[in-house]
Amino acid sequence: MGQFVQLTAADGFVFPAYEARPAGSPKGAVVVLQEIFGVNSHIRAVVDGYAAQGYLALAPATFHRVKADVELGYGPDDIAAGRELKAAVEGLPAPGVLPDIAATVAHAAQAGKVAVMGYCWGGLLAWRSACSLKGLSAAACYYGGGMTTADEVARQPQVPVLAHFGQHDHWISVDSVQAFARAHPDVQVHVYDADHGFNCDQRGSYDEASALVARDRTLA
């Protein structure tokens, strides 16, 4: 079971991050970036899971610059609220929320090498982090929303990247995933027989088999 800690970005902004520590000495650190639903029970469970695997794990509240204490579910109203919050954060002056992720990475570095991973919007943020932030050793992006658009494909990762997509994702076309893979042959791109959100066991699109394979690949 983890707890929230307060971190400070380079511009002085203070934000919470959910942190879970392993039983013994950490073998590294994982920064988990939320979906559009906040650092909710699912994201906290993901963090706890990576701590159980021996990593110091943290999930920064990447909505905090526009709204505090966001914890949404997965119903239509939650999705609408999450989209509005995402749009508000994406509309912040550059570099947006990246300083908060950078501060989380710096805090996590106490455990050694740091990986960043994210889901949906968090997958997009993980990709941006892999392309622009210092202090990372690897990144894993799960169905990164917007990640396969031209502007994002134009970015160049500075660390090894693993990308997970669903073949039946109606938000991210297979054609755009294939174009992304061609543009970035060094990125490990995997496409699963699954829908968007296949890693989340609180969503109807959860696919246990795909989630387990993706997790094994991410851990490796």
Side-chain angles (χ1 to χ4, degrees):
M1 183 65 68
Q3 63 182 1
F4 280 92
V5 297
Q6 298 296 312
L7 302 178
T8 305
D11 62 357
F13 182 73
V14 178
F15 63 95
Y18 180 75
E19 178 184 83
R21 292 181 173 271
S25 298
K27 52 187 177 184
V30 174
V31 172
V32 176
L33 302 180
Q34 64 173 66
E35 302 167 302
I36 61 169
F37 308 105
V39 184
N40 61 8
S41 60
H42 169 62
I43 294 299
R44 296 195 301 273
V46 171
V47 171
D48 291 340
Y50 279 103
Q53 292 289 331
Y55 296 93
L56 170 64
L58 295 106
T62 46
F63 277 159
H64 201 68
R65 287 184 182 259
V66 298
K67 186 174 181 180
D69 304 322
V70 176
E71 180 160 354
L72 299 173
Y74 297 95
D77 291 344
D78 299 292
I79 293 172
R83 284 177 178 167
E84 288 185 7
L85 290 166
K86 174 195 171 183
V89 174
E90 290 286 308
L92 292 172
V97 77
L98 283 176
D100 304 346
I101 301 172
T104 309
V105 170
H107 175 81
Q110 64 183 278
K113 289 184 177 181
V114 182
V116 64
M117 67 182 62
Y119 305 85
C120 189
W121 178 51
L124 172 62
L125 293 177
W127 170 247
R128 291 175 179 169
S129 299
C131 296
S132 61
L133 296 187
K134 305 289 187 183
L136 289 171
S137 294
C141 310
Y142 281 75
Y143 32 86
M147 188 175 153
T148 61
T149 60
D151 286 348
E152 297 300 333
V153 172
R155 299 178 187 270
Q156 294 298 321
Q158 306 302 307
V159 297
V161 175
L162 176 63
H164 307 291
F165 294 100
Q167 183 176 350
H168 310 295
D169 192 329
H170 56 288
W171 303 111
I172 307 170
S173 71
V174 173
D175 287 347
S176 72
V177 171
Q178 291 172 342
F180 176 90
R182 287 193 298 269
H184 293 284
D186 291 337
V187 174
Q188 294 185 46
V189 176
H190 296 284
V191 179
Y192 301 81
D193 185 16
D195 203 343
H196 189 83
F198 69 78
N199 183 73
C200 179
D201 60 4
Q202 296 183 21
R203 303 177 73 164
S205 56
Y206 175 60
D207 187 275
E208 183 179 19
S210 297
L212 290 173
V213 172
R215 189 165 185 262
D216 285 346
R217 287 169 170 164
T218 299
L219 284 167

PDB file of all heavy atoms in Angstrom, residues 21-30 49-57 108-115 137 219-220:
ATOM      1  N   ARG A  21       6.625   1.799  -2.264  1.00  0.00           N
ATOM      2  CA  ARG A  21       8.001   1.322  -2.157  1.00  0.00           C
ATOM      3  C   ARG A  21       8.040  -0.198  -2.043  1.00  0.00           C
ATOM      4  O   ARG A  21       7.155  -0.805  -1.434  1.00  0.00           O
ATOM      5  CB  ARG A  21       8.686   1.957  -0.940  1.00  0.00           C
ATOM      6  CG  ARG A  21       8.908   3.454  -1.100  1.00  0.00           C
ATOM      7  CD  ARG A  21       9.597   4.096   0.089  1.00  0.00           C
ATOM      8  NE  ARG A  21       9.923   5.486  -0.191  1.00  0.00           N
ATOM      9  CZ  ARG A  21      11.047   5.891  -0.755  1.00  0.00           C
ATOM     10  NH1 ARG A  21      11.987   5.008  -1.068  1.00  0.00           N
ATOM     11  NH2 ARG A  21      11.261   7.178  -0.984  1.00  0.00           N
ATOM     12  N   PRO A  22       9.069  -0.821  -2.605  1.00  0.00           N
ATOM     13  CA  PRO A  22       9.181  -2.283  -2.521  1.00  0.00           C
ATOM     14  C   PRO A  22       9.571  -2.722  -1.119  1.00  0.00           C
ATOM     15  O   PRO A  22      10.001  -1.905  -0.294  1.00  0.00           O
ATOM     16  CB  PRO A  22      10.286  -2.598  -3.525  1.00  0.00           C
ATOM     17  CG  PRO A  22      11.147  -1.373  -3.524  1.00  0.00           C
ATOM     18  CD  PRO A  22      10.203  -0.219  -3.329  1.00  0.00           C
ATOM     19  N   ALA A  23       9.431  -4.011  -0.856  1.00  0.00           N
ATOM     20  CA  ALA A  23       9.751  -4.546   0.472  1.00  0.00           C
ATOM     21  C   ALA A  23      11.237  -4.431   0.769  1.00  0.00           C
ATOM     22  O   ALA A  23      11.637  -4.143   1.895  1.00  0.00           O
ATOM     23  CB  ALA A  23       9.288  -5.986   0.566  1.00  0.00           C
ATOM     24  N   GLY A  24      12.089  -4.660  -0.219  1.00  0.00           N
ATOM     25  CA  GLY A  24      13.532  -4.580  -0.020  1.00  0.00           C
ATOM     26  C   GLY A  24      14.128  -3.397  -0.757  1.00  0.00           C
ATOM     27  O   GLY A  24      13.432  -2.436  -1.081  1.00  0.00           O
ATOM     28  N   SER A  25      15.400  -3.477  -1.030  1.00  0.00           N
ATOM     29  CA  SER A  25      16.063  -2.418  -1.790  1.00  0.00           C
ATOM     30  C   SER A  25      15.510  -2.406  -3.214  1.00  0.00           C
ATOM     31  O   SER A  25      15.413  -3.461  -3.856  1.00  0.00           O
ATOM     32  CB  SER A  25      17.574  -2.640  -1.817  1.00  0.00           C
ATOM     33  OG  SER A  25      18.117  -2.585  -0.512  1.00  0.00           O
ATOM     34  N   PRO A  26      15.127  -1.229  -3.725  1.00  0.00           N
ATOM     35  CA  PRO A  26      14.564  -1.183  -5.079  1.00  0.00           C
ATOM     36  C   PRO A  26      15.606  -1.529  -6.134  1.00  0.00           C
ATOM     37  O   PRO A  26      16.784  -1.199  -6.007  1.00  0.00           O
ATOM     38  CB  PRO A  26      14.088   0.268  -5.211  1.00  0.00           C
ATOM     39  CG  PRO A  26      14.898   1.039  -4.214  1.00  0.00           C
ATOM     40  CD  PRO A  26      15.167   0.099  -3.087  1.00  0.00           C
ATOM     41  N   LYS A  27      15.154  -2.188  -7.194  1.00  0.00           N
ATOM     42  CA  LYS A  27      16.053  -2.503  -8.303  1.00  0.00           C
ATOM     43  C   LYS A  27      15.940  -1.477  -9.414  1.00  0.00           C
ATOM     44  O   LYS A  27      16.494  -1.667 -10.499  1.00  0.00           O
ATOM     45  CB  LYS A  27      15.757  -3.903  -8.845  1.00  0.00           C
ATOM     46  CG  LYS A  27      14.316  -4.196  -9.195  1.00  0.00           C
ATOM     47  CD  LYS A  27      14.150  -5.675  -9.551  1.00  0.00           C
ATOM     48  CE  LYS A  27      12.704  -6.044  -9.850  1.00  0.00           C
ATOM     49  NZ  LYS A  27      12.537  -7.494 -10.111  1.00  0.00           N
ATOM     50  N   GLY A  28      15.274  -0.396  -9.135  1.00  0.00           N
ATOM     51  CA  GLY A  28      15.076   0.676 -10.090  1.00  0.00           C
ATOM     52  C   GLY A  28      13.775   1.374  -9.757  1.00  0.00           C
ATOM     53  O   GLY A  28      13.177   1.132  -8.703  1.00  0.00           O
ATOM     54  N   ALA A  29      13.341   2.269 -10.642  1.00  0.00           N
ATOM     55  CA  ALA A  29      12.116   3.023 -10.386  1.00  0.00           C
ATOM     56  C   ALA A  29      11.250   3.086 -11.632  1.00  0.00           C
ATOM     57  O   ALA A  29      11.738   3.023 -12.761  1.00  0.00           O
ATOM     58  CB  ALA A  29      12.450   4.437  -9.918  1.00  0.00           C
ATOM     59  N   VAL A  30       9.948   3.213 -11.397  1.00  0.00           N
ATOM     60  CA  VAL A  30       8.964   3.319 -12.467  1.00  0.00           C
ATOM     61  C   VAL A  30       8.068   4.521 -12.180  1.00  0.00           C
ATOM     62  O   VAL A  30       7.499   4.630 -11.091  1.00  0.00           O
ATOM     63  CB  VAL A  30       8.102   2.042 -12.559  1.00  0.00           C
ATOM     64  CG1 VAL A  30       6.989   2.221 -13.584  1.00  0.00           C
ATOM     65  CG2 VAL A  30       8.954   0.834 -12.911  1.00  0.00           C
ATOM     66  N   GLY A  49       1.461  -2.576  -7.926  1.00  0.00           N
ATOM     67  CA  GLY A  49       1.923  -3.778  -8.598  1.00  0.00           C
ATOM     68  C   GLY A  49       3.394  -3.719  -8.964  1.00  0.00           C
ATOM     69  O   GLY A  49       4.121  -4.715  -8.807  1.00  0.00           O
ATOM     70  N   TYR A  50       3.846  -2.563  -9.439  1.00  0.00           N
ATOM     71  CA  TYR A  50       5.262  -2.449  -9.782  1.00  0.00           C
ATOM     72  C   TYR A  50       6.136  -2.396  -8.531  1.00  0.00           C
ATOM     73  O   TYR A  50       7.276  -2.882  -8.543  1.00  0.00           O
ATOM     74  CB  TYR A  50       5.494  -1.244 -10.697  1.00  0.00           C
ATOM     75  CG  TYR A  50       5.155  -1.581 -12.134  1.00  0.00           C
ATOM     76  CD1 TYR A  50       3.960  -1.152 -12.710  1.00  0.00           C
ATOM     77  CD2 TYR A  50       5.996  -2.383 -12.899  1.00  0.00           C
ATOM     78  CE1 TYR A  50       3.623  -1.503 -14.006  1.00  0.00           C
ATOM     79  CE2 TYR A  50       5.670  -2.736 -14.195  1.00  0.00           C
ATOM     80  CZ  TYR A  50       4.489  -2.298 -14.746  1.00  0.00           C
ATOM     81  OH  TYR A  50       4.154  -2.659 -16.025  1.00  0.00           O
ATOM     82  N   ALA A  51       5.616  -1.858  -7.445  1.00  0.00           N
ATOM     83  CA  ALA A  51       6.358  -1.906  -6.177  1.00  0.00           C
ATOM     84  C   ALA A  51       6.505  -3.355  -5.722  1.00  0.00           C
ATOM     85  O   ALA A  51       7.569  -3.761  -5.228  1.00  0.00           O
ATOM     86  CB  ALA A  51       5.641  -1.076  -5.116  1.00  0.00           C
ATOM     87  N   ALA A  52       5.459  -4.159  -5.910  1.00  0.00           N
ATOM     88  CA  ALA A  52       5.520  -5.573  -5.540  1.00  0.00           C
ATOM     89  C   ALA A  52       6.539  -6.328  -6.388  1.00  0.00           C
ATOM     90  O   ALA A  52       7.062  -7.368  -5.955  1.00  0.00           O
ATOM     91  CB  ALA A  52       4.136  -6.210  -5.691  1.00  0.00           C
ATOM     92  N   GLN A  53       6.850  -5.793  -7.582  1.00  0.00           N
ATOM     93  CA  GLN A  53       7.863  -6.396  -8.450  1.00  0.00           C
ATOM     94  C   GLN A  53       9.275  -5.914  -8.100  1.00  0.00           C
ATOM     95  O   GLN A  53      10.241  -6.293  -8.778  1.00  0.00           O
ATOM     96  CB  GLN A  53       7.553  -6.077  -9.906  1.00  0.00           C
ATOM     97  CG  GLN A  53       6.308  -6.751 -10.449  1.00  0.00           C
ATOM     98  CD  GLN A  53       6.496  -8.247 -10.635  1.00  0.00           C
ATOM     99  OE1 GLN A  53       7.592  -8.721 -10.882  1.00  0.00           O
ATOM    100  NE2 GLN A  53       5.412  -8.991 -10.484  1.00  0.00           N
ATOM    101  N   GLY A  54       9.399  -5.081  -7.083  1.00  0.00           N
ATOM    102  CA  GLY A  54      10.722  -4.665  -6.618  1.00  0.00           C
ATOM    103  C   GLY A  54      11.144  -3.259  -7.003  1.00  0.00           C
ATOM    104  O   GLY A  54      12.294  -2.875  -6.773  1.00  0.00           O
ATOM    105  N   TYR A  55      10.219  -2.470  -7.541  1.00  0.00           N
ATOM    106  CA  TYR A  55      10.562  -1.123  -7.990  1.00  0.00           C
ATOM    107  C   TYR A  55       9.959  -0.058  -7.078  1.00  0.00           C
ATOM    108  O   TYR A  55       8.858  -0.241  -6.543  1.00  0.00           O
ATOM    109  CB  TYR A  55      10.045  -0.889  -9.411  1.00  0.00           C
ATOM    110  CG  TYR A  55      10.685  -1.776 -10.436  1.00  0.00           C
ATOM    111  CD1 TYR A  55      10.104  -2.986 -10.794  1.00  0.00           C
ATOM    112  CD2 TYR A  55      11.891  -1.423 -11.039  1.00  0.00           C
ATOM    113  CE1 TYR A  55      10.698  -3.825 -11.730  1.00  0.00           C
ATOM    114  CE2 TYR A  55      12.491  -2.257 -11.978  1.00  0.00           C
ATOM    115  CZ  TYR A  55      11.890  -3.449 -12.314  1.00  0.00           C
ATOM    116  OH  TYR A  55      12.482  -4.277 -13.231  1.00  0.00           O
ATOM    117  N   LEU A  56      10.671   1.048  -6.932  1.00  0.00           N
ATOM    118  CA  LEU A  56      10.062   2.249  -6.394  1.00  0.00           C
ATOM    119  C   LEU A  56       9.140   2.778  -7.492  1.00  0.00           C
ATOM    120  O   LEU A  56       9.576   2.984  -8.627  1.00  0.00           O
ATOM    121  CB  LEU A  56      11.122   3.293  -6.049  1.00  0.00           C
ATOM    122  CG  LEU A  56      10.611   4.687  -5.686  1.00  0.00           C
ATOM    123  CD1 LEU A  56       9.777   4.651  -4.409  1.00  0.00           C
ATOM    124  CD2 LEU A  56      11.773   5.667  -5.532  1.00  0.00           C
ATOM    125  N   ALA A  57       7.872   2.973  -7.188  1.00  0.00           N
ATOM    126  CA  ALA A  57       6.909   3.361  -8.221  1.00  0.00           C
ATOM    127  C   ALA A  57       6.130   4.593  -7.781  1.00  0.00           C
ATOM    128  O   ALA A  57       5.749   4.708  -6.607  1.00  0.00           O
ATOM    129  CB  ALA A  57       5.950   2.210  -8.515  1.00  0.00           C
ATOM    130  N   ALA A 108      12.410   9.879  -8.277  1.00  0.00           N
ATOM    131  CA  ALA A 108      12.504   8.430  -8.410  1.00  0.00           C
ATOM    132  C   ALA A 108      13.935   7.952  -8.575  1.00  0.00           C
ATOM    133  O   ALA A 108      14.248   6.792  -8.268  1.00  0.00           O
ATOM    134  CB  ALA A 108      11.660   7.967  -9.602  1.00  0.00           C
ATOM    135  N   ALA A 109      14.819   8.826  -9.039  1.00  0.00           N
ATOM    136  CA  ALA A 109      16.204   8.439  -9.324  1.00  0.00           C
ATOM    137  C   ALA A 109      16.958   7.990  -8.088  1.00  0.00           C
ATOM    138  O   ALA A 109      18.028   7.390  -8.198  1.00  0.00           O
ATOM    139  CB  ALA A 109      16.939   9.584 -10.007  1.00  0.00           C
ATOM    140  N   GLN A 110      16.409   8.241  -6.903  1.00  0.00           N
ATOM    141  CA  GLN A 110      17.019   7.735  -5.669  1.00  0.00           C
ATOM    142  C   GLN A 110      17.124   6.216  -5.702  1.00  0.00           C
ATOM    143  O   GLN A 110      17.938   5.623  -4.990  1.00  0.00           O
ATOM    144  CB  GLN A 110      16.202   8.174  -4.445  1.00  0.00           C
ATOM    145  CG  GLN A 110      14.802   7.599  -4.420  1.00  0.00           C
ATOM    146  CD  GLN A 110      13.963   8.089  -3.251  1.00  0.00           C
ATOM    147  OE1 GLN A 110      14.073   7.565  -2.136  1.00  0.00           O
ATOM    148  NE2 GLN A 110      13.136   9.093  -3.488  1.00  0.00           N
ATOM    149  N   ALA A 111      16.276   5.583  -6.529  1.00  0.00           N
ATOM    150  CA  ALA A 111      16.259   4.120  -6.598  1.00  0.00           C
ATOM    151  C   ALA A 111      17.142   3.572  -7.709  1.00  0.00           C
ATOM    152  O   ALA A 111      17.225   2.362  -7.890  1.00  0.00           O
ATOM    153  CB  ALA A 111      14.825   3.632  -6.803  1.00  0.00           C
ATOM    154  N   GLY A 112      17.775   4.456  -8.481  1.00  0.00           N
ATOM    155  CA  GLY A 112      18.614   4.003  -9.587  1.00  0.00           C
ATOM    156  C   GLY A 112      18.016   4.384 -10.922  1.00  0.00           C
ATOM    157  O   GLY A 112      17.478   5.478 -11.094  1.00  0.00           O
ATOM    158  N   LYS A 113      18.089   3.480 -11.896  1.00  0.00           N
ATOM    159  CA  LYS A 113      17.547   3.767 -13.224  1.00  0.00           C
ATOM    160  C   LYS A 113      16.027   3.964 -13.163  1.00  0.00           C
ATOM    161  O   LYS A 113      15.350   3.306 -12.378  1.00  0.00           O
ATOM    162  CB  LYS A 113      17.880   2.628 -14.193  1.00  0.00           C
ATOM    163  CG  LYS A 113      19.348   2.546 -14.570  1.00  0.00           C
ATOM    164  CD  LYS A 113      19.573   1.442 -15.604  1.00  0.00           C
ATOM    165  CE  LYS A 113      21.034   1.395 -16.041  1.00  0.00           C
ATOM    166  NZ  LYS A 113      21.268   0.337 -17.054  1.00  0.00           N
ATOM    167  N   VAL A 114      15.546   4.861 -14.009  1.00  0.00           N
ATOM    168  CA  VAL A 114      14.125   5.211 -13.995  1.00  0.00           C
ATOM    169  C   VAL A 114      13.499   4.941 -15.360  1.00  0.00           C
ATOM    170  O   VAL A 114      14.033   5.364 -16.394  1.00  0.00           O
ATOM    171  CB  VAL A 114      13.917   6.698 -13.634  1.00  0.00           C
ATOM    172  CG1 VAL A 114      12.419   7.028 -13.570  1.00  0.00           C
ATOM    173  CG2 VAL A 114      14.599   7.047 -12.318  1.00  0.00           C
ATOM    174  N   ALA A 115      12.373   4.248 -15.362  1.00  0.00           N
ATOM    175  CA  ALA A 115      11.552   4.079 -16.557  1.00  0.00           C
ATOM    176  C   ALA A 115      10.271   4.883 -16.384  1.00  0.00           C
ATOM    177  O   ALA A 115       9.790   5.067 -15.264  1.00  0.00           O
ATOM    178  CB  ALA A 115      11.218   2.614 -16.784  1.00  0.00           C
ATOM    179  N   SER A 137      15.800   6.002 -18.455  1.00  0.00           N
ATOM    180  CA  SER A 137      16.513   4.894 -19.092  1.00  0.00           C
ATOM    181  C   SER A 137      15.654   4.115 -20.067  1.00  0.00           C
ATOM    182  O   SER A 137      16.174   3.392 -20.910  1.00  0.00           O
ATOM    183  CB  SER A 137      17.059   3.938 -18.019  1.00  0.00           C
ATOM    184  OG  SER A 137      18.056   4.575 -17.250  1.00  0.00           O
ATOM    185  N   LEU A 219       8.031  -5.424 -18.130  1.00  0.00           N
ATOM    186  CA  LEU A 219       8.968  -5.791 -17.054  1.00  0.00           C
ATOM    187  C   LEU A 219      10.322  -6.222 -17.626  1.00  0.00           C
ATOM    188  O   LEU A 219      11.374  -5.879 -17.083  1.00  0.00           O
ATOM    189  CB  LEU A 219       8.379  -6.912 -16.192  1.00  0.00           C
ATOM    190  CG  LEU A 219       7.293  -6.478 -15.209  1.00  0.00           C
ATOM    191  CD1 LEU A 219       6.578  -7.706 -14.643  1.00  0.00           C
ATOM    192  CD2 LEU A 219       7.886  -5.640 -14.082  1.00  0.00           C
ATOM    193  N   ALA A 220      10.284  -6.951 -18.722  1.00  0.00           N
ATOM    194  CA  ALA A 220      11.538  -7.396 -19.352  1.00  0.00           C
ATOM    195  C   ALA A 220      12.344  -6.209 -19.845  1.00  0.00           C
ATOM    196  O   ALA A 220      13.575  -6.181 -19.710  1.00  0.00           O
ATOM    197  CB  ALA A 220      11.216  -8.343 -20.500  1.00  0.00           C
TER     198      ALA A 220
END
